[in-house]
Amino acid sequence: MMIDWGRVQDLRDEIGADAFAEVVELFLDEVDTEIGKLRLPDAGANLEALLHFLKGSALNLGFAAFADLCHRGERAAATGQHAGIDLDAVLECYTRSKSEFIAGLAQVIAA
């Protein structure tokens, strides 16, 4: 499951429909910025912190598969196993998750 739509709906219900669109926009902007940092040559220096931030953000907005990959990468980075982290898979999962999320967002907003 790429997106936990139940979590997305819960968030919408918690903060209200009006604030939800703003939260989504902020989330995507912040995550896109952090994703850009993963592409930098020196990403390994802050990899654990970057993946931790991305995991937390992903969990808040229901990006289940992406959160899982970030969690696994964060654990590997914490133990110095950077070679075991497939950043291409993390980036690709975010791209797919974001596309699926945007495609299904109208249904959540309309609910």
Side-chain angles (χ1 to χ4, degrees), residues 18-36:
D18 294 339
F20 182 71
E22 184 177 333
V23 167
V24 167
E25 184 178 337
L26 286 172
F27 165 81
L28 294 175
D29 286 346
E30 286 181 3
V31 172
D32 284 344
T33 297
E34 297 304 307
I35 285 289

Side-chain angles (χ1 to χ4, degrees), residues 74-93:
E74 176 189 10
R75 300 293 2 122
T79 59
Q81 299 175 9
H82 291 139
I85 303 169
D86 186 350
L87 289 182
D88 288 336
V90 171
L91 296 169
E92 191 270 333
C93 184

Side-chain angles (χ1 to χ4, degrees), residues 6-66:
R7 173 64 194 132
V8 176
Q9 187 63 49
D10 288 347
L11 179 63
R12 181 191 173 277
D13 293 345
E14 288 169 16
I15 64 174
D18 294 339
F20 182 71
E22 184 177 333
V23 167
V24 167
E25 184 178 337
L26 286 172
F27 165 81
L28 294 175
D29 286 346
E30 286 181 3
V31 172
D32 284 344
T33 297
E34 297 304 307
I35 285 289
K37 292 177 184 177
L38 284 180
R39 293 185 171 102
L40 298 175
D42 65 344
N46 300 313
L47 195 53
E48 183 181 355
L50 279 170
L51 291 170
H52 177 78
F53 173 83
L54 291 169
K55 175 189 73 177
S57 296
L59 288 171
N60 284 332
L61 207 55
F63 281 46
F66 179 63

